[in-house]
Amino acid sequence: MSVHVIYGSDGGTTRGIAQRLASRLQGRAIDITKASVADLESPALLILGCPTYGFGDLQSDWEDRLSLLKEAQLSGKRVALFGTGDQMTYPDTFVDAMGILYDIVVDRGAQVVGFTDTKGYDHTGSAAQRDGRFVGLALDEDQQPTLTDQRLTAWIDQIR
Ligand SMILES: Cc1cc2nc3c(=O)[nH]c(=O)nc-3n(C[C@H](O)[C@H](O)[C@H](O)COP(=O)(O)O)c2cc1C
């Protein structure tokens, strides 16, 4: 199964996660600044990763390249999302960016896989939740770095 992990990252955390996912799924990690529409459309599984900045905003490269996602034909495509954030410093907007990407890909007809439980997180609000679940994998390398590996493993099993 071909896998592309498209990510944006200011500080490198999300890039690192994208590279780990790509290596474990024998896929390619591609920075959103270098991605093409074909990179979004061609894989059997498309994974999108974004940190949240501001208070609940997309990372700036994602913001700048959002037109790419809006152009892509994603009808019926399997898409999985992950978000990086900090639940203690930003408890009301935890991994919000993942929710922003979710709404766009659903609007484009994607079939989103990889919803996860909110158990084990300590936050008060997130735009990345639907019916009490995260729309993808929420990772907190600032507050819960020791949980990342097991979260990745469980999620990979789920989406594979
Ligand atoms: C100025 C600033 C604003 C942030 N805002 C949020 C936020 O609203 N929600 C959240 O969950 N995390 C927020 N974060 C935390 C980052 O999303 C988190 O540190 C992430 O791992 C950074 O990823 P990167 O290194 O790939 O850029 C913010 C961080 C900074 C520095």
Side-chain angles (χ1 to χ4, degrees):
M1 174 177 70
S2 56
V3 180
H4 286 174
V5 186
I6 315 271
Y7 66 90
S9 182
D10 278 10
T13 298
T14 315
R15 177 180 310 110
I17 301 288
Q19 287 165 347
R20 282 163 75 179
L21 275 169
S23 122
R24 288 171 71 168
L25 289 161
Q26 284 98 47
R28 274 177 66 202
I30 306 169
D31 193 309
I32 183 64
T33 61
K34 299 189 178 100
S36 64
V37 172
D39 289 332
L40 295 168
E41 292 177 347
S42 62
L45 173 64
L46 175 66
I47 302 179
L48 307 177
C50 185
T52 301
Y53 276 99
F55 285 98
D57 299 330
L58 287 172
Q59 184 260 352
S60 58
D61 295 325
W62 267 114
E63 198 80 67
D64 293 347
R65 302 276 283 164
L66 218 46
S67 57
L68 203 70
L69 199 58
K70 290 182 175 166
E71 272 171 45
Q73 299 295 331
L74 299 178
S75 190
K77 176 164 289 295
R78 287 181 81 230
V79 175
L81 304 160
F82 74 94
T84 42
D86 176 342
Q87 64 202 283
M88 197 174 81
T89 317
Y90 305 95
D92 295 333
T93 56
F94 181 52
V95 296
D96 271 15
M98 183 162 71
I100 299 174
L101 293 184
Y102 173 80
D103 284 339
I104 295 169
V105 299
V106 166
D107 199 50
R108 306 292 302 141
Q111 181 206 337
V112 177
V113 297
F115 276 49
T116 61
D117 221 76
T118 57
K119 201 167 148 254
Y121 300 86
D122 189 14
H123 64 294
T124 43
S126 173
Q129 281 175 221
R130 299 289 178 278
D131 298 325
R133 305 196 79 206
F134 285 122
V135 297
L137 177 64
L139 295 172
D140 188 337
E141 285 282 86
D142 296 290
Q143 309 299 335
Q144 297 180 325
T146 57
L147 298 181
T148 295
D149 203 52
Q150 71 198 58
R151 283 173 173 163
L152 279 173
T153 301
W155 194 61
I156 286 168
D157 285 347
Q158 187 185 336
I159 61 173
R160 194 162 10 211

